[in-house]
Amino acid sequence: MTYENLAGRTAVVTGAASGIGAAVATALADNGARVALLARRSDRIEELAATLNANGGQAIAVTADVTSDASVTGAAERIHSVFDRVDLVVNNAGVMIPEPIDTASTGNWQRMIDTNVTGVLRVLRAFTPDLTADGHADLVNISSIGAHEYFKDYAVYGATKAAVTYLSRSLRAELGPAGVRVTNIEPGLVRSELRDDITGDAAAFLDDWIAEAGILAAEDLADVVAYVTSRPAHVNLRQLVALPATQF
């Protein structure tokens, strides 16, 4: 689907090496936005940027780790040097590690917090001056249905996503008067690399759940992001839950 209002926008997409992030970056570029692809895996984002540019888009690959202040600051400087002001930010980078609360690794807890919460804050801090500069911009945070639904062994992951959902709500009040639309999207089951590192009982549970409930493609979420950010400037779709039709 074509969304004409995205033409001429300048977007930053984190976690753009695969899955939802790569699909979002592709959808935005296909609709005329300039896109900065942020991720740790340089080879993946360089390949995607080359593909988008070959297809008539404008994209740059910016290697960055959202768990590092210096890395995010450097990424913002690189983006500004090429594209100048950013007016659309998609916070998508995330880590999901299901573990029982009594045996979980505290290192894995910290990894999820650093990526899913503090990483969002780092990116927000780096680009808030851009978003608030001209009276119209979009901030999209990819949260999860796990922000308010309980799933066995996902307590800490869900807590990090609940923080993102709450942060999004608060930021509407803080940034809205400057013309920044804040949209919080809570996906259900979506095909992505988050599944790849899950093993054992947690993997079996997830596989059974997908077999029963179905699963969205990353492109389905990308279309949602493109849709909400292309609405007229006075319309803010502030909160969306996107599930397979058979997931309840």
Side-chain angles (χ1 to χ4, degrees):
M1 189 172 294
T2 300
Y3 300 107
E4 295 180 356
N5 288 348
L6 291 171
R9 304 286 299 274
T10 300
V12 171
V13 180
T14 69
S18 66
I20 294 171
V24 168
T26 299
L28 296 178
D30 287 349
N31 282 281
R34 296 180 293 270
V35 184
L37 314 173
L38 267 64
R40 293 175 300 165
R41 291 178 289 180
S42 301
D43 57 336
R44 290 283 193 93
I45 54 175
E46 288 169 0
E47 180 180 355
L48 178 57
T51 298
L52 296 179
N53 290 328
N55 290 338
Q58 297 181 67
I60 59 171
V62 183
T63 304
D65 180 353
V66 298
T67 68
S68 163
D69 287 348
S71 183
V72 172
T73 298
E77 291 172 352
R78 162 72 172 148
I79 293 164
H80 290 144
S81 72
V82 177
F83 286 152
D84 199 16
R85 175 182 175 250
V86 170
D87 65 357
L88 199 167
V89 172
V90 182
N91 271 313
N92 166 74
V95 177
M96 181 175 71
I97 309 172
E99 292 178 311
I101 199 70
D102 58 339
T103 59
S105 159
T106 57
N108 286 339
W109 291 350
Q110 195 62 53
R111 182 181 171 200
M112 285 188 282
I113 293 167
D114 286 346
T115 305
N116 301 356
V117 181
T118 316
V120 168
L121 294 172
R122 288 189 180 95
V123 172
L124 175 66
R125 183 175 61 186
F127 293 104
T128 292
D130 294 43
L131 296 177
T132 57
D134 195 34
H136 175 52
D138 284 284
L139 171 65
V140 178
N141 292 326
I142 306 298
S143 180
S144 168
I145 189 68
H148 54 81
E149 297 285 349
Y150 170 72
F151 304 106
K152 183 179 181 296
D153 297 338
Y154 287 82
V156 176
Y157 172 76
T160 65
K161 291 303 186 176
V164 172
T165 294
Y166 180 83
L167 176 66
S168 300
R169 187 184 313 130
S170 299
L171 289 174
R172 289 186 201 103
E174 188 168 342
L175 303 180
V180 182
R181 301 185 298 193
V182 181
T183 298
N184 187 68
I185 299 176
E186 296 180 349
L189 292 167
V190 180
R191 198 169 303 284
S192 76
E193 289 188 354
L194 289 179
R195 163 67 182 83
D196 293 353
D197 293 331
I198 300 174
T199 59
D201 291 344
F205 168 80
L206 191 55
D207 289 343
D208 289 345
W209 188 16
I210 291 169
E212 177 182 354
I215 192 166
L216 297 178
E219 289 75 15
D220 295 325
L221 261 293
D223 185 65
V224 171
V225 173
Y227 178 80
V228 301
T229 55
S230 64
R231 296 308 85 206
H234 68 285
V235 178
N236 182 196
L237 300 178
R238 52 177 276 177
Q239 174 78 13
L240 291 95
V241 176
L243 306 175
T246 48
Q247 181 183 347
F248 305 107

